[in-house]
Amino acid sequence: MEQSNQKPGKTSRRGFLGQAFTAAGAAITVPALLTQESAAKETTLGGNGEMNITLNVNGEQRPLSIEPRVTLLDALRERLGLVGSKKGCDHGQCGACTVLIDGERVYSCLSLAVMQEGKKIVTIEGLASGDSLHPMQIAFIDNDGFQCGYCTPGQICASVALLEEVKRGCASVVTSDLQAPPQLAQLSTAEIKERLSGNLCRCSAYNGIVAAVQQAIGQKPPSPMANIITSESQGVSV
């Protein structure tokens, strides 16, 4: 049986040449890759670390140069002047900053603006069609679904998304039959409250908000007038 004459710890001529060619290839390839990476960064990053992006907001293409860490909420308010979306908690807990992205409700304070390229963003300013308000906006006015109004833009955007979610057959925590999710015409008060539980109203205009959603889906909301039941005193003996 033929045995190798190569001593332990020694490198053969063939192995040495292989290592040399591998090292040479790496020396050529690595700088080329680094050059390509640097070129890619130069096309997206400015001299101050900002990225050049274009956002589709309310049907318009809006170019921006922003840092990668800027939230969508700050981009909308501070860069594009769309101040309808409110900054409340800035932690994704109150829902005042809710906007629609590709038809789904999103907390814009928790979303990076640079991640929204190629998506359709709709804010409260984009719901109306010219001078014609969105049906949900009209319903909020008709049913007094707000008091101070600070949370109202987020509430309305969330309510618009709620309608679309029900149409798609999305269930909620309180949906009793997951195989037969509720339709808009049969949407209960409990369903509406649960589906809007991510939006807080510190004025506590919740009854008006629920009534607004009911009107928008074609249900008859309860009367905003309170029913006061009084009775005459029958007399008290002392």
Side-chain angles (χ1 to χ4, degrees):
M1 183 175 182
E2 183 178 358
Q3 297 181 353
S4 173
N5 295 325
Q6 183 178 346
K7 296 181 179 180
K10 298 293 184 177
T11 302
S12 65
R13 180 173 179 273
R14 178 176 298 177
F16 172 80
L17 291 177
Q19 294 176 3
F21 282 122
T22 301
I28 296 173
T29 304
V30 172
L33 292 176
L34 293 176
T35 302
Q36 294 175 7
E37 182 179 0
S38 300
K41 288 183 178 179
E42 291 176 359
T43 60
T44 57
L45 296 179
N48 55 356
E50 292 185 342
M51 296 184 67
N52 299 318
I53 65 173
T54 300
L55 298 180
N56 183 339
V57 183
N58 298 328
E60 297 183 11
Q61 298 295 325
R62 306 294 298 270
L64 286 173
S65 294
I66 58 176
E67 293 182 351
R69 61 181 177 177
V70 174
T71 64
L72 177 59
L73 177 61
D74 286 339
L76 292 173
R77 291 179 56 85
E78 308 299 334
R79 304 300 182 92
L80 300 181
L82 298 172
V83 296
S85 303
K86 304 304 182 186
K87 179 176 283 193
C89 65
D90 208 24
H91 288 80
Q93 297 176 350
C94 71
C97 67
T98 304
V99 299
L100 305 178
I101 299 180
D102 287 343
E104 298 185 0
R105 47 179 149 173
V106 173
Y107 293 152
S108 58
C109 73
L110 298 183
S111 305
L112 296 177
V114 296
M115 299 178 66
Q116 311 310 321
E117 273 199 302
K119 302 178 181 179
K120 294 182 180 180
I121 304 168
V122 178
T123 68
I124 188 67
E125 293 90 346
L127 288 180
S129 179
D131 294 332
S132 300
L133 295 178
H134 189 280
M136 189 63 73
Q137 293 173 306
I138 297 175
F140 265 71
I141 295 173
D142 291 344
N143 294 276
D144 197 19
F146 52 87
Q147 289 185 32
C148 78
Y150 193 83
C151 71
T152 306
Q155 296 276 6
I156 293 177
C157 286
S159 298
V160 171
L162 181 155
L163 269 60
E164 297 303 317
E165 290 166 3
V166 174
K167 290 178 182 178
R168 294 198 303 268
C170 298
S172 76
V173 173
V174 299
T175 301
S176 58
D177 187 355
L178 299 181
Q179 301 299 323
Q183 303 298 311
L184 286 177
Q186 291 81 36
L187 198 65
S188 66
T189 300
E191 283 278 2
I192 296 174
K193 290 181 178 180
E194 170 60 29
R195 292 169 186 266
L196 291 180
S197 60
N199 291 72
L200 303 181
C201 175
R202 289 178 172 83
C203 297
S204 297
Y206 294 117
N207 289 337
I209 294 171
V210 173
V213 174
Q214 290 173 326
Q215 176 176 312
I217 62 180
Q219 296 182 10
K220 184 178 180 180
S223 173
M225 300 299 294
N227 294 322
I228 302 177
I229 302 176
T230 60
S231 62
E232 295 182 359
S233 175
Q234 302 298 321
V236 178
S237 61
V238 179

